[in-house]
Amino acid sequence: MRDSAKKLIGCFSSHIANGKAVGLLVSLLLAVGLTGFDPTDAAPDELLIFHQQHRVRLPLVAIEGRSYVPILDVLHLLDLAYSESGSAGYLRIFAGRDVVELARNRARVRLNRSSIGLAAPVLFREGRWLTPRGFVPDVLNRVLKPAIRVSPSGNRWLTGGRDFVRINLSARTTDEASRLVVSLVNAGEIRVRGEERRILFLLGASPVDPPGAEVTSYRDEWVKGISFEETADSSRLVVSLADESVQTRLTRLSGQNAYLVDAFRPAAEDSTTAREPTRSFRWTRRPRASGWRRITIDPGHGGADRGVGVGEGLYEKDVTLSIARKVRWVLESRLRVETVLTRGQDRTLSLEDRAREANRSRSDLFLSIHLGNGASPISSGSYVYLAKLPPGEAPARDRSEGAAFELVRWDRAQAAVLHRSFQLAQILQAVTNERFNGGAPLSFRHAPLRLLSPLAMPAVLLELGNVKQDRFRETVLTEPFQNGVAVAVLAALQQFRPIDEAAMDR
């Protein structure tokens, strides 16, 4: 027999002789798993109470269409003193100096000198005191410290001043993939495990309020379904994939207790487009007039290109990836626009590859993130960079009647949208000055950057601080700073979006 079961038997042995707590004892033995109890099989007329790391099933009593709580079982669980007389028709509950008095067949109870109404009368049936379900949250909670928390579903109670874990889901699909954002509110330590055709979010013994239909009814071409499962002592969320050809990429959004799950089927390698010449001609469609659909965030460097050193074993490529993931999460959540990273992990990626993928996916905005590496350790300003294009003629437009495309040189695609990039740079630099430059009136900079000039959408590069400065080198590694960058980018794009979408419609 488990130690926890022995302790519970000891606590209630004094009640077994008179038969009052036999039902409660059976419930407690079930709750610690001695009989394989599964709360998911529990009927709606049962309560699941999370108490001191145990899950206690408490059967409710149905009378004339109402559910009643065997209140003495709850008092035993909470170790509250009481006195009662079924023949005299009263039950008194003592919590410190507070006294709650219930009377048989009365729909009002007394709390000290106050009278409180109930939704139904208190009953005494077959030797048990029965209260309406609202008695505990509406009356008893007034004398309990901490109070019992009731889940939104109403069928779960939680003692000890904690709160239920809540599971939220948002999803977005494209023609090529599905992206789920799974956020866990109030969750402690969790584990994620991948198995064949499914991903498991293991929540342990945490008290979880089961997710609603907005989560469990979700399915698409890549995700077969999402289910919430419980055993006697643990809970888990299961994302089931459609078939064995579906692959997933999981990204943890640190500091936000959320995960991005990208589900996709790998595309066949296209050897004809894998090495597109840098100075070639390509057809590009004119900007859509239906608003933003996709944003590309580019974490600078990666793989063999480590960038500047930031700390022991840490490089610019690591920091920019961490920040980019936070930016993606904030933009996905607040702007409701698909946000992709040029690299979601530590891998080598050429400048041409980054620009080509952004153009191919027809992104509406491109932001590259880097760290500054100034010569002087004194200054540590953050700057926005805008492409500086070499002199040349404007892109040649196709003269065919009704044509929906333009003929654009690969290395001058930015020329057609440079005025929009200029507006983005102005707004982002103003926000950057306010958030990171101490309000200094710094101006954005022009530079002949090979990364920006081929991009056929508003595009800028954000260079943060100066890693030569000791203070900045420590600050840039912290969660608050990186989260602050994400919030600053969001603030700038919220200002720029209506301006840019209006320009797209013209």
Side-chain angles (χ1 to χ4, degrees):
M1 184 178 292
R2 298 182 181 179
D3 292 339
S4 57
K6 292 180 180 178
K7 292 179 182 178
L8 291 169
I9 291 174
C11 292
F12 291 95
S13 60
S14 60
H15 298 281
I16 294 177
N18 59 22
K20 289 184 177 180
V22 172
L24 176 60
L25 180 59
V26 172
S27 296
L28 292 171
L29 292 177
L30 290 171
V32 296
L34 298 183
T35 61
F37 162 63
D38 185 350
T40 57
D41 296 330
D45 60 349
E46 294 177 334
L47 281 176
L48 182 59
I49 304 178
F50 296 87
H51 178 66
Q52 297 180 355
Q53 303 302 315
H54 297 296
R55 300 173 181 224
V56 180
R57 185 185 68 171
L58 183 60
L60 302 177
V61 179
I63 299 177
E64 298 178 354
R66 291 184 179 273
S67 295
Y68 285 83
V69 178
I71 193 61
L72 294 191
D73 291 355
V74 176
L75 301 182
H76 293 156
L77 189 67
L78 301 176
D79 198 22
L80 284 177
Y82 66 90
S83 65
E84 57 90 18
S85 172
S87 58
Y90 74 85
L91 167 64
R92 296 188 182 96
I93 304 170
F94 305 95
R97 295 183 178 182
D98 296 306
V99 179
V100 182
E101 186 169 353
L102 300 82
R104 182 177 55 198
N105 299 328
R106 292 284 305 277
R108 299 195 70 83
V109 300
R110 291 191 63 83
L111 171 56
N112 300 325
R113 296 184 179 182
S114 301
S115 177
I116 303 172
L118 301 176
V122 175
L123 303 178
F124 183 76
R125 299 285 179 91
E126 299 178 357
R128 292 191 296 176
W129 285 94
L130 306 174
T131 63
R133 293 171 65 168
F135 169 73
V136 169
D138 297 339
V139 180
L140 193 58
N141 263 352
R142 301 190 186 194
V143 300
L144 295 179
K145 294 180 176 43
I148 293 176
R149 292 189 180 273
V150 180
S151 70
S153 62
N155 290 322
R156 296 180 175 221
W157 291 355
L158 173 61
T159 68
R162 297 173 294 161
D163 205 347
F164 286 94
V165 176
R166 298 191 305 277
I167 301 172
N168 298 323
L169 174 77
S170 61
R172 181 175 287 108
T173 60
T174 65
D175 293 338
E176 298 84 19
S178 170
R179 167 167 292 172
L180 307 180
V181 181
V182 180
S183 60
L184 302 149
V185 183
N186 300 322
E189 187 67 26
I190 68 172
R191 294 184 295 120
V192 182
R193 186 174 72 220
E195 294 184 350
E196 184 178 2
R197 295 179 59 176
R198 62 181 192 167
I199 298 173
L200 308 179
F201 293 85
L202 306 176
L203 306 173
S206 300
V208 183
D209 190 35
E214 70 278 2
V215 174
T216 56
S217 64
Y218 182 82
R219 55 186 48 83
D220 58 35
E221 180 182 345
W222 302 270
V223 177
K224 180 180 180 181
I226 300 175
S227 59
F228 177 71
E229 302 174 356
E230 287 188 314
T231 65
D233 54 9
S234 66
S235 307
R236 66 185 185 181
L237 186 74
V238 181
V239 178
S240 299
L241 305 178
D243 53 62
E244 61 277 358
S245 69
V246 176
Q247 294 187 13
T248 58
R249 180 170 57 248
L250 185 71
T251 305
R252 182 176 187 274
L253 304 172
S254 57
Q256 301 169 58
N257 230 359
Y259 293 81
L260 293 181
V261 180
D262 291 306
F264 57 94
R265 291 182 175 88
E269 187 71 22
D270 187 351
S271 59
T272 63
T273 60
R275 290 293 176 185
E276 185 171 355
T278 302
R279 296 183 61 85
S280 65
F281 289 90
R282 55 181 287 129
W283 295 99
T284 62
R285 293 190 179 274
R286 289 177 180 167
R288 300 181 301 270
S290 55
W292 284 3
R293 299 183 185 179
R294 183 177 294 108
I295 294 172
T296 294
I297 305 298
D298 173 47
H301 306 279
D305 178 14
R306 300 183 300 184
V308 64
V310 181
E312 185 175 354
L314 283 176
Y315 298 91
E316 182 178 0
K317 64 174 184 177
D318 306 308
V319 179
T320 58
L321 180 58
S322 177
I323 294 174
R325 286 170 172 167
K326 293 176 172 61
V327 171
R328 176 177 63 176
W329 160 244
V330 169
L331 300 187
E332 287 266 4
S333 303
R334 300 295 298 276
L335 295 185
R336 302 298 181 185
V337 174
E338 180 187 4
T339 306
V340 298
L341 303 184
T342 55
R343 62 178 183 92
Q345 55 190 346
D346 183 21
R347 66 187 183 100
T348 304
L349 201 63
S350 71
L351 300 180
E352 290 78 12
D353 288 336
R354 298 169 198 257
R356 178 167 48 247
E357 289 307 313
N359 284 334
R360 181 175 294 155
S361 66
R362 300 177 65 205
S363 286
D364 297 294
L365 185 143
F366 182 96
L367 171 66
S368 188
I369 300 174
H370 290 255
L371 300 183
N373 185 27
S376 171
I378 299 176
S379 62
S380 186
S382 296
Y383 291 91
V384 177
Y385 282 83
L386 183 68
K388 183 178 182 180
L389 302 176
E393 61 183 23
R397 294 180 181 273
D398 182 87
R399 301 291 193 242
S400 301
E401 183 178 356
F405 47 77
E406 296 175 352
L407 186 62
V408 180
R409 276 180 55 132
W410 169 258
D411 61 340
R412 289 188 53 79
Q414 181 64 192
V417 293
L418 191 59
H419 62 292
R420 292 160 60 196
S421 298
F422 182 93
Q423 292 175 308
L424 172 59
Q426 279 187 317
I427 294 173
L428 183 54
Q429 184 66 61
V431 174
T432 299
N433 289 343
E434 178 186 350
R435 305 289 178 95
F436 306 113
N437 293 333
L442 304 182
S443 300
F444 64 86
R445 296 174 170 179
H446 294 266
L449 301 174
R450 288 179 55 207
L451 172 62
L452 300 182
S453 59
L455 292 165
M457 73 286 300
V460 295
L461 183 150
L462 175 61
E463 184 181 85
L464 297 164
N466 181 4
V467 294
K468 292 286 180 63
Q469 187 185 72
D470 293 340
R471 183 178 177 182
F472 176 77
R473 195 164 53 246
E474 295 174 358
T475 301
V476 75
L477 299 178
T478 65
E479 290 285 335
F481 179 85
Q482 295 183 11
N483 289 332
V485 174
V487 172
V489 171
L490 171 65
L493 297 194
Q494 285 175 326
Q495 295 181 48
F496 177 65
R497 183 177 188 174
I499 298 172
D500 192 55
E501 289 184 335
M504 294 167 66
D505 289 335
R506 289 198 292 268

